[in-house]
Amino acid sequence: YNEEQRKVARKTDDQKLHKVDGLIFEIERHEFKKASRTVVNDRRRAKTESVEGFLPLHLSIYNRAIYELIDTLIDAYPPAMKVRDPKNNLPIHIASKDETVLLTIVELLVRWWPESLLEKDPLHADIPVQMSIRYHLPKEVTYHYLDVQPDTIKWRDEDGNTLLHMCLRYGSHIDLFYRILYAYPEAVKIFNSKGDLPLHRACLFN
């Protein structure tokens, strides 16, 4: 092919993709308002998977779509909240790995399925509150997770680390550290699987 033929071939491929799966096409190109209109006009499109097996909701969160699109997708197909993507992540896990995620987005996801905050991710077997610390999400997101599922403040990761251990390991905001400390003071006396107290984590990483 010469360059002109390549351009024509690429354009043809794009047109085929748009025709076969317009919604996926729009999301991947960050045409979020257009994608919202597509779903409003045909709610069945929210069930359409990409070639790789991702639902539009998965792709929207990966691509940091606007609130309007994510809300529209969930409303059109609520079961998507409980579908794991090809990487075995739920929508809440995808959001909980994004350090730029907006509080409004996680509030939306949690409102549709509060129990998702008890679901473990495939990589570290973390629940979302642990992920929010590991991946340095805004502290307001962690606060929200704890407000919705208060008992998760006592959860420990696979290495026996409490949230207090994790805050010190990953350099969380001091306000978050004190919030956890005051809500669960017993955590200062808990050893992880390596025999470390949170104090040992503080000395090692801070």
Side-chain angles (χ1 to χ4, degrees):
Y1 282 179
N2 58 35
E3 185 58 32
E4 189 60 31
Q5 288 173 318
R6 290 194 191 93
K7 289 181 180 179
V8 172
R10 283 197 296 269
K11 184 176 180 180
T12 301
D13 288 343
D14 281 351
Q15 288 173 339
K16 287 180 180 178
L17 176 60
H18 191 279
K19 183 177 180 180
V20 173
D21 201 345
L23 178 59
I24 301 298
F25 184 91
E26 292 158 1
I27 293 171
E28 291 183 339
R29 283 157 179 74
H30 291 197
E31 298 173 358
F32 300 136
K33 287 189 175 295
K34 187 175 181 180
S36 296
R37 292 194 296 271
T38 296
V39 179
V40 170
N41 292 333
D42 185 357
R43 293 166 64 87
R44 295 172 299 176
R45 304 299 293 276
K47 301 180 182 181
T48 304
E49 292 185 354
S50 69
V51 174
E52 299 82 8
F54 293 90
L55 283 171
L57 179 60
H58 298 137
L59 293 174
S60 293
I61 301 173
Y62 276 120
N63 283 280
R64 298 171 177 167
I66 59 176
Y67 181 98
E68 176 188 351
L69 174 56
I70 295 174
D71 186 36
T72 301
L73 285 168
I74 301 174
D75 184 63
Y77 186 47
M81 283 294 302
K82 299 184 180 182
V83 177
R84 290 183 179 264
D85 69 13
K87 300 178 182 179
N88 206 28
N89 288 303
L90 291 165
I92 191 67
H93 296 146
I94 301 170
S96 298
K97 291 181 180 180
D98 181 5
E99 64 181 10
T100 68
V101 70
L102 299 177
L103 177 60
T104 52
I105 298 299
V106 297
E107 286 176 335
L108 172 64
L109 297 175
V110 172
R111 185 164 66 250
W112 276 95
W113 187 26
E115 292 77 16
S116 66
L117 295 182
L118 304 178
E119 295 288 330
K120 294 181 178 181
D121 87 307
L123 187 58
H124 299 286
D126 286 343
I127 58 173
V129 69
Q130 294 167 317
M131 296 176 71
S132 71
I133 296 172
R134 184 184 298 276
Y135 294 104
H136 308 284
L137 269 63
K139 65 181 186 298
E140 290 78 13
V141 172
T142 309
Y143 293 164
H144 184 63
Y145 289 169
L146 289 171
D147 287 341
V148 176
Q149 296 286 357
D151 287 345
T152 59
I153 200 167
K154 298 181 181 180
W155 279 57
R156 300 168 71 174
D157 68 13
E158 288 189 316
D159 296 318
N161 293 304
T162 64
L163 296 188
L164 211 56
H165 284 97
M166 295 185 73
C167 280
L168 294 165
R169 169 66 179 85
Y170 296 104
S172 298
H173 195 284
I174 190 66
D175 291 349
L176 176 57
F177 171 82
Y178 280 119
R179 162 96 181 240
I180 294 170
L181 178 62
Y182 292 147
Y184 185 41
E186 295 89 347
V188 299
K189 301 177 183 179
I190 295 176
F191 293 89
N192 65 15
S193 60
K194 295 181 179 179
D196 292 335
L197 291 166
L199 177 61
H200 299 140
R201 298 282 92 183
C203 295
L204 181 60
F205 294 108
N206 293 51

